[in-house]
């Protein structure tokens, strides 16, 4: 097993996750099997109880693991299925060591950070690295490990020490360290400053780790003189200094690494004999295609955490995947749900007017998942607007529950209908707490992970988009569900529940017949969307919002088909073959 460790210095938020993912892509394109591990130094056991404002979205895995959003990058870039153990936290490590101490596994020894914590970290890495994540038998060839945070952070010290020891445990020919750092430009002179990187590398070396490659983040390409200076003061060969400058989209990053021969430097360090050229043609096609899209499709994102786009990172990526497949340029329009509410008209009239203007000019509306009652009335108003005006609508998790509450209020006439999450005393509970979920513990107690949804009929838009007739498999994260006692009432009034769980009592998918696209799903389809293989319900939203749904469903050829999609170039999906038949020139934005 070979290990590539990615660390970061100077400041956080440099893009270590994208860098680590891109390294994995290039190595995979060279024919190697790749797995990934993310180390988060915080004390939380997992990301499940963390606020999106604090740490971005919580990414959910097939096994129900609630993990850091960088694991979403790994899955999307590498097209793998990771497990909860691929995300290591300080909380998990200490919990494991303390449990072993309580069992008496240490035979009376004094339990210390060194060697017990550091040994636990190394053992965890080796154990998880051997677990296949690509659906094939046997272990991967390379494990890419990202150490979160910044070198010098006090909470990272046990992991730094563990990695220092780890390089000797596995052997120097099996260990490659890539350090991501910042090369800023100060003032109007435009000189690229190397001192922050010099200090960062010096600190890393003081802890016993010497970087073999530098991945330097900058706004513009590094000058040769800057590379030579970094090489001289950081003791890294100039051809091992990779420049990841700002690009138009992140799919260019693996291409940057390839063009600078980063894969050759890694192969040489890991003593891998042959270095085949990376097969990145599909990535180049995807990156160029994304840059050249010009016809916009505007999707209103009506949510609670609109102040931080990372809160909805996977939703944005899923929209992007679907938009590219439909030859459209995604224009996300952020709408704070609270600004749509009536009280905002009095308290914040300018924000209220701007929010409604944004909503009304959108081609489609998306209400993502969330928790808590802030902004709920605004989301209900957005769902009502989409339903009554024929605007394509996709509700995810809470967004589906919102659609049910809105329908009960405005179609069934139950003005006080609500979810018990927001009003425990409502006389018409449309959405209720699931009986098997804990009411006292928050972490890891929801309905989590991949679960089957049985399609009730093949004659529905969802089945046609998924191109399946029996069931689909998607990831979940929720505590509340549609009240099964109200389903018959809702369906009699016109709402249609076309997907249910295996018991038949838990509603998973709703549709509104006669509407261009009004779909709600209890699961989170964004977590399984991939470049070239867009999520079916996100694809449906973009198709409907751009006026291409009828052509896609009917499969009728057009006179002017768009250029081949990335998915077609990859030959990964019959879905993409049908998209090629769509007309771009004859279908404008609705």
């Amino acid at each position: 097993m070979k290990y590539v460790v990615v660390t970061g210095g100077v400041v956080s938020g440099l893009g270590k996750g994208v860098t680590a993912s891109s390294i994995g892509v290039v190595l995979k394109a060279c024919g190697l099997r790749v797995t990934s591990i993310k180390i988060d130094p915080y004390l939380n056991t997992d990301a499940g109880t963390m606020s999106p404002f604090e740490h971005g979205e919580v990414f959910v895995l097939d096994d129900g693991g609630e993990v850091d959003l960088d694991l979403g990058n790994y899955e999307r870039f590498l097209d793998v299925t990771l497990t909860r153990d691929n995300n290591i936290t300080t909380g998990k490590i200490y919990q494991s060591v303390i449990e072993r101490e309580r069992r008496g596994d240490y035979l009376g020894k004094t339990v210390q950070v060194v060697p017990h914590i550091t040994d636990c970290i190394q053992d965890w890495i080796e154990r998880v690295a051997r677990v296949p994540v690509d659906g094939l038998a046997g272990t991967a060839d390379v494990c890419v490990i990202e150490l979160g945070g910044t070198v010098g952070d006090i909470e990272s010290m046990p992991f730094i020490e563990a990695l220092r020891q780890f390089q000797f445990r596995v052997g120097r020919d099996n260990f490659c360290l890539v350090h991501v750092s910042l090369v800023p430009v100060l003032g109007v002179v435009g000189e690229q400053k190397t001192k922050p990187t010099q200090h960062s590398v010096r600190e890393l070396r003081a802890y016993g780790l010497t970087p073999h490659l530098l991945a330097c983040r900058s706004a513009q390409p590094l000058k040769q003189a800057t590379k030579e200076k970094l090489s001289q003061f950081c003791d890294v060969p100039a051809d091992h200094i990779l420049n990841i400058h700002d690009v138009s989209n992140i799919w260019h990053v693996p291409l940057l690494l390839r063009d600078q021969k980063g894969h050759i430097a890694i192969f040489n360090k890991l003593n891998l004999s042959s270095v085949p050229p990376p097969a990145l043609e599909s990535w180049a096609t995807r990156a160029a295609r994304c840059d050249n899209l010009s016809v916009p499709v505007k999707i209103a994102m009506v949510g609670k955490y609109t102040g931080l786009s990372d809160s909805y990172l996977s939703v944005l990526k899923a929209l992007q995947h679907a938009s590219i497949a439909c030859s459209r340029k995604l224009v996300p329009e952020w709408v704070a749900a609270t600004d749509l509410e009536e009280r905002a008209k009095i308290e914040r009239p300018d924000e209220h007017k701007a929010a409604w203007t944004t909503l009304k000019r959108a081609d489609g509306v998306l209400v993502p998942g969330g928790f808590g009652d802030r902004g709920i009335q605004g989301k209900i108003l957005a769902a009502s607007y989409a339903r009554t005006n024929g605007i394509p609508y996709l509700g995810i998790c809470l967004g589906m529950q919102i659609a049910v509450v809105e329908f009960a209020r405005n179609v069934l006439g139950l003005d006080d209908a609500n979810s018990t999450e927001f009003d425990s005393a409502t006389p018409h509970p449309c959405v209720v707490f699931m009986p098997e979920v804990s009411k006292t513990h928050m972490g890891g107690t929801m309905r989590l992970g991949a679960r089957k949804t049985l399609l009730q009929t093949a004659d529905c838009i969802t089945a046609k988009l998924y191109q399946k007739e029996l069931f689909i498999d998607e990831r979940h994260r929720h505590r509340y569900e549609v009240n099964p006692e109200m389903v018959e009432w809702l369906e009699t009034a016109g709402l249609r529940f076309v997907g249910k769980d295996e018991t038949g009592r838990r509603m998973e998918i709703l549709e509104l017949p006669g509407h261009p696209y009004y779909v709600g799903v209890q699961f989170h389809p964004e977590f399984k969307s991939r470049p070239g293989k867009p999520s079916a319900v996100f694809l449906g939203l973009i198709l409907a919002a751009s006026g291409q749904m009828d052509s896609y469903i009917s499969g009728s050829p057009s006179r002017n088909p768009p250029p081949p999609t990335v998915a077609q170039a990859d030959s990964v999906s019959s879905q993409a073959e049908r998209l090629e038949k769509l007309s771009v020139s004859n279908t404008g934005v609705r």
Side-chain angles (χ1 to χ4, degrees):
M1 175 68 69
K2 307 290 185 178
Y3 297 89
V4 178
V5 177
V6 179
T7 60
V10 184
V11 294
S12 60
L14 285 178
K16 294 190 301 297
V18 173
T19 302
S21 301
S22 299
I23 289 172
V25 167
V26 176
L27 296 179
K28 184 177 180 180
C30 291
L32 299 178
R33 293 177 61 192
V34 181
T35 185
S36 294
I37 294 175
K38 171 66 187 297
I39 297 175
D40 284 304
Y42 48 68
L43 279 169
N44 303 63
T45 302
D46 57 35
T49 59
M50 299 176 73
S51 165
F53 284 129
E54 184 81 15
H55 207 253
E57 76 169 4
V58 176
F59 191 81
V60 178
L61 302 171
D62 267 6
D63 66 357
E66 297 174 288
V67 297
D68 183 80
L69 58 82
D70 279 322
L71 274 80
N73 281 326
Y74 303 157
E75 286 205 341
R76 285 187 289 268
F77 271 60
L78 299 173
D79 195 17
V80 295
T81 302
L82 302 175
T83 70
R84 67 178 76 225
D85 286 343
N86 289 85
N87 191 192
I88 303 175
T89 68
T90 300
K92 287 181 180 179
I93 295 296
Y94 274 81
Q95 186 177 51
S96 175
V97 170
I98 291 171
E99 286 175 353
R100 293 183 64 187
E101 185 273 333
R102 292 289 84 186
R103 289 197 306 265
D105 292 356
Y106 297 117
L107 300 176
K109 290 184 178 295
T110 301
V111 180
Q112 297 175 292
V113 173
V114 180
H116 301 100
I117 294 295
T118 52
D119 282 353
C120 182
I121 293 168
Q122 295 176 75
D123 293 342
W124 194 302
I125 290 172
E126 285 193 308
R127 172 174 56 83
V128 173
R130 295 191 186 100
V131 178
V133 296
D134 55 5
L136 303 176
T139 60
D141 301 306
V142 180
C143 178
V144 180
I145 304 168
E146 178 194 349
L147 174 60
T150 306
V151 170
D153 293 344
I154 191 169
E155 60 264 28
S156 301
M157 293 305 175
F159 295 101
I160 293 285
E161 173 59 21
L163 291 171
R164 185 195 68 78
Q165 298 175 22
F166 193 64
Q167 64 185 330
F168 301 110
R169 177 191 283 205
V170 300
R172 291 186 179 274
D173 287 344
N174 299 319
F175 185 90
C176 178
L177 178 60
V178 181
H179 188 58
V180 182
S181 187
L182 177 67
V183 178
V185 173
L186 303 180
V188 295
V189 179
E191 180 185 1
Q192 294 176 330
K193 296 294 184 180
T194 64
K195 192 64 71 176
T197 299
Q198 291 181 43
H199 282 294
S200 180
V201 170
R202 183 181 304 165
E203 186 165 18
L204 188 60
R205 294 177 70 184
Y207 297 137
L209 287 170
T210 299
H212 305 113
L213 288 86
L214 290 181
C216 297
R217 290 283 292 112
S218 61
Q220 300 297 327
L222 285 186
K223 299 175 182 177
Q224 186 60 32
T226 305
K227 280 192 173 185
E228 292 173 357
K229 190 173 182 180
L230 285 168
S231 176
Q232 179 181 7
F233 287 99
C234 297
D235 198 23
V236 176
D239 58 351
H240 286 198
I241 298 176
L242 310 175
N243 178 212
I244 305 177
H245 55 78
D246 291 351
V247 288
S248 54
N249 66 71
I250 62 172
W251 292 328
H252 282 287
V253 178
L255 306 179
L256 286 178
L257 298 179
R258 177 202 61 184
D259 295 343
Q260 297 174 72
K261 297 181 172 56
H263 58 294
I264 295 178
I266 294 173
F267 264 66
N268 290 338
K269 177 62 188 69
L270 296 177
N271 198 25
L272 293 167
S273 54
S274 60
V275 187
L280 289 172
E281 293 78 11
S282 63
W283 278 86
T285 302
R286 183 179 299 118
R289 182 171 170 79
C290 184
D291 288 341
N292 294 328
L293 295 175
S294 58
V295 181
V297 58
K298 298 178 180 178
I299 302 298
M301 290 274 292
V302 183
K304 177 180 178 181
Y305 311 109
T306 54
L308 180 65
S309 61
D310 272 1
S311 301
Y312 302 113
L313 182 63
S314 291
V315 173
L316 285 173
K317 296 302 181 186
L319 285 171
Q320 187 181 42
H321 301 160
S323 297
I324 292 173
C326 295
S327 300
R328 291 294 186 267
K329 181 179 181 179
L330 176 66
V331 181
E333 300 277 10
W334 298 99
V335 179
T338 51
D339 290 342
L340 295 173
E341 297 174 351
E342 281 302 310
R343 63 180 182 181
K345 188 175 183 180
I346 301 172
E347 298 171 357
R348 306 183 304 279
D350 292 341
E351 288 87 344
H352 180 267
K353 181 179 179 181
W356 275 102
T357 299
T358 300
L359 182 66
K360 290 181 178 180
R361 73 184 180 194
D363 303 307
V365 177
L366 191 152
V367 176
F371 299 93
D373 61 355
R374 184 167 64 85
I376 290 301
Q377 298 308 315
K379 295 175 184 178
I380 291 173
L381 289 170
S384 177
Y385 171 78
R387 180 181 61 80
T388 56
N389 289 277
I391 307 299
Y393 174 90
L394 175 59
I396 299 173
C397 195
L398 176 61
M400 170 184 167
Q401 298 169 7
I402 289 294
V404 171
V405 173
E406 187 278 329
F407 193 86
R409 289 183 181 182
N410 297 324
V411 178
L412 295 179
L414 307 175
D415 294 339
D416 48 6
N418 212 332
S419 166
T420 56
E421 181 179 5
F422 316 126
D423 181 5
S424 58
T426 175
H428 300 291
C430 300
V431 179
V432 295
F433 197 82
M434 291 188 294
E436 71 268 30
V437 174
S438 171
K439 295 185 177 182
T440 57
H441 288 70
M442 300 289 288
T445 59
M446 288 183 279
R447 184 170 180 251
L448 293 165
R451 297 170 185 268
K452 282 185 179 180
T453 292
L454 304 183
L455 296 171
Q456 304 301 297
T457 174
D459 185 23
C460 64
I461 190 67
T462 309
K464 293 174 183 177
L465 289 169
Y466 274 99
Q467 299 178 31
K468 294 186 178 181
E469 296 183 357
L470 299 178
F471 70 90
I472 58 176
D473 192 84
E474 293 282 11
R475 298 175 183 177
H476 294 69
R477 184 176 186 250
H478 63 110
R479 288 190 178 90
Y480 291 81
E481 63 178 341
V482 175
N483 187 352
E485 304 300 328
M486 291 196 67
V487 168
E488 184 178 355
W489 201 353
L490 292 163
E491 288 194 319
T492 300
L495 209 57
R496 193 178 180 201
F497 291 98
V498 299
K500 300 180 182 180
D501 78 338
E502 293 174 299
T503 70
R505 287 184 57 81
R506 186 159 285 155
M507 303 302 110
E508 295 278 5
I509 307 172
L510 69 79
E511 294 182 7
L512 184 62
H515 192 283
Y517 189 77
Y518 195 84
V519 174
V521 292
Q522 186 59 73
F523 45 81
H524 287 266
E526 67 271 23
F527 294 142
K528 284 196 169 185
S529 183
R530 302 286 185 267
K533 295 186 287 186
S535 165
V537 290
F538 280 90
L539 180 65
L541 178 64
I542 300 300
L543 286 169
S546 57
Q548 302 182 71
M549 179 65 82
D550 291 342
S551 298
Y552 177 79
I553 294 299
S554 65
S556 59
S558 66
R559 290 170 293 179
N560 297 295
T565 67
V566 175
Q568 291 164 335
D570 288 342
S571 299
V572 295
S573 169
S574 61
Q575 187 180 74
E577 294 174 4
R578 299 174 69 184
L579 280 167
E580 187 178 8
K581 300 176 183 178
L582 298 178
S583 170
V584 173
S585 57
N586 293 332
T587 55
V589 178
R590 189 198 53 75

